[in-house]
Amino acid sequence: MVNAPTAVTALLPVLLLALTGLVLLLVDTVRPDDRSNTSMAVVSALGSLGALAATAWLVVSGTVGVDTGAVHLFADTIAVDTMALFFIAIFTSVTALVVVAAHDYFHDHSNPAAFYSLALFATTGMALLAVANSLAVVFVALEMVSLPSYVLVAFLKQNRGSVEAGMKYFLVGALSSAIFLFGISLVYAATGSLLFGDVAEAFGSIDELAGVAGIGIVMIIGGVAFKTASVPFHFWAPEAYEGAPAPVSAFLSSASKAAGFVVAFQLFTEAFPIGASVAANIDWVLAFGILAAVTMTLGNFAAAVQEEVKRMLAYSSIGHAGYALIGLAALSAGGPANGTVMGAAMAHLLVYGFMNTGAFLFVAMAERWGVGRTFADYAGLAQRAPVASTAMAVFMFSLAGLPPFAGFFSKYFLFQAAIDNGFLWLAALGAVNSVISLYYYSRVVKALFIDDPDSQSALDAIDVRPTALYAAVVFAAVATVLLLPGFGPVIETAEAAASAVF
């Protein structure tokens, strides 16, 4: 039995995020006249970075590690392991960037404090998702992420597009939650337990209830596909990302998407083992293979025909969900590279977190400058904002997977791991889609650096002072570049964490 101090220590990142959200909410409620946008942003950033530091400390100190194993809490409903901490690092990093950027984006909003508390509560739910070891905890944590997210999308109450996007997101999200919950109930009916380990053990003898469990798993896959914006549950994403404030789009497309993947990675490897699932004629690997292929292809082709940069990035995020799904689609019973392929998908999600967040924050900065939404509206921005435009070029080339950027290495390791595990067709399809993506990513760079603006006066109106939003974009670009020399430790840590669950 784990003692109380150890439990608090293991859950320190989750507790810090929750405490920060509560402090922000309390100050906003008790002393609304004394709150300031700057102080709220600073507290939010410090809370996120504190949780990130606590996550790193848990690994470095050996409290949680591959050798020491997971720390199990609350009757095994919580399990803090290295995979969970890896994803918590992604959530907290993205949240820190987003709340810093939000300081400028919501500078004239009547109640910016609500944004910061909602973002921290959503991140708390993501962190709880990462450490969940029970289907019940997974569902509760998913709702902790979803409910604040609905509000964040519709945060600009005077903006019809934002409210409409929030309503669409809520309606589709409520339906997906119902499907996910019904899938959980069917799995419980077939196995008699909600704990991952007990469900896996029961899979060896479900016999006549295999059909019930199979339907439940299909419904759970549907819930996961919604959270990761995978085809055919993707249609909410372009609408929500386009209508939401750009920092919220960055938050949902990076952190929230990673939250969906940590659920998928842990749930399907620990609760539904490949060997037992195949023996029961439940081939969820094939289902994820189809999802990965269709998602990356549709996402990239849809992004290629967009004329608005923000909507292009929305469909691009769908394509990247397809790449990350290879982490499940390329698994096999007793596969020699199972840990490698899932670890590579985790590393890709980390790199994606920085480059995609930075790209959406550049869009946020363009919106604050009063620049339009289309590629043509971005023409010549490099003349007025060379540093920010260079950062955007780094994001675009890295998202496309061009060497020597970090996105190239994350995709290379992912596709190579898929080949090593016998899924050459998935790797080949991913490579072809990466080539297609180069077309629409290069359109942004062309507009920024090559195209001429319609009028010079349009550029003169742009305020390029080094604000918090500007700093967040540049920091995301620096982090993307620094991942080049640091990619070795990243991929090693991810693969070790993934290998521990097989």
Side-chain angles (χ1 to χ4, degrees), residues 242-266:
E242 183 182 21
V248 175
S249 302
F251 183 68
L252 293 180
S253 63
S254 299
S256 185
K257 188 182 293 290
F261 277 107
V262 71
V263 171
F265 289 170
Q266 293 191 333

Side-chain angles (χ1 to χ4, degrees), residues 105-106 109 152-160 162-163 243-245:
Y105 194 88
F106 296 113
H109 195 276
L152 287 172
V153 171
F155 192 71
L156 301 178
K157 293 185 289 185
Q158 305 305 318
N159 185 304
R160 181 176 178 179
S162 178
V163 175

Side-chain angles (χ1 to χ4, degrees), residues 204-221:
S205 57
I206 54 175
D207 298 328
E208 67 275 5
L209 294 177
V212 175
I215 296 173
I217 290 176
V218 169
M219 300 183 83
I220 289 174
I221 290 175

Side-chain angles (χ1 to χ4, degrees), residues 356-442:
N356 185 70
T357 301
F360 270 105
L361 293 185
F362 181 89
V363 173
M365 188 159 53
E367 290 180 357
R368 185 173 182 270
W369 289 339
V371 176
R373 292 172 172 262
T374 67
F375 289 94
D377 294 325
Y378 281 45
L381 280 183
Q383 300 175 26
R384 183 64 173 150
V387 176
S389 297
T390 301
M392 187 60 165
V394 170
F395 301 141
M396 293 298 97
F397 288 141
S398 189
L399 284 166
L402 285 181
F405 299 97
F408 166 78
F409 290 102
S410 64
K411 286 185 178 180
Y412 170 80
F413 280 100
L414 179 59
F415 297 158
Q416 184 60 53
I419 294 172
D420 292 342
N421 225 29
F423 290 83
L424 175 61
W425 69 275
L426 264 180
L429 187 60
V432 170
N433 276 284
S434 292
V435 173
I436 295 171
S437 71
L438 182 59
Y439 162 71
Y440 57 82
Y441 287 132
S442 62

Side-chain angles (χ1 to χ4, degrees), residues 177-210:
S177 294
I179 293 173
F180 188 81
L181 183 59
F182 193 55
I184 289 176
S185 69
L186 292 178
V187 170
Y188 177 74
T191 62
S193 179
L194 295 173
L195 294 176
F196 290 177
D198 292 347
V199 171
E201 185 177 348
F203 249 72
S205 57
I206 54 175
D207 298 328
E208 67 275 5
L209 294 177

Side-chain angles (χ1 to χ4, degrees), residues 450-471:
I450 299 177
D451 294 348
D452 295 322
D454 293 335
S455 64
Q456 193 63 34
S457 60
L459 294 180
D460 294 337
I462 294 175
D463 179 11
V464 293
R465 288 177 297 178
T467 58
L469 182 51
Y470 204 105

